[in-house]
Amino acid sequence: MARHRFIAGAVCPECSEQDSIRLIVEQIDGEEREHIECVSCDYHAERPKQAAEKAEQDIIGLFKP
């Protein structure tokens, strides 16, 4: 099952429409894959795996009550 989330303030690199980009996270073969797409035009791109791993490294700590 895929999760869809709009990215506030994001601008599409193809049509320059603001607030039209959504992030889609899919679970494929036990691995999460992320890609973005524009709902105004046909633009889509896969998020590089390195960027996703680097984002996790930037987290200092998580608060879990």
Side-chain angles (χ1 to χ4, degrees):
M1 179 172 202
R3 294 178 295 179
H4 300 260
R5 246 184 2 197
F6 278 93
I7 303 173
V11 177
C12 176
E14 289 287 319
C15 67
S16 301
E17 190 75 28
Q18 187 172 6
D19 294 332
S20 64
I21 298 288
R22 68 178 172 183
L23 172 70
I24 301 168
V25 180
E26 296 178 305
Q27 194 79 8
I28 301 173
D29 297 329
E31 182 179 320
E32 275 193 355
R33 294 190 185 175
E34 298 180 346
H35 60 277
I36 60 170
E37 67 181 23
C38 178
V39 296
S40 296
C41 67
D42 290 332
Y43 176 77
H44 63 278
E46 182 133 355
R47 183 175 180 188
K49 190 167 182 132
Q50 299 149 351
E53 291 174 1
K54 182 172 181 341
E56 290 176 6
Q57 292 174 354
D58 292 341
I59 297 173
I60 295 171
L62 294 175
F63 176 72
K64 294 183 181 179

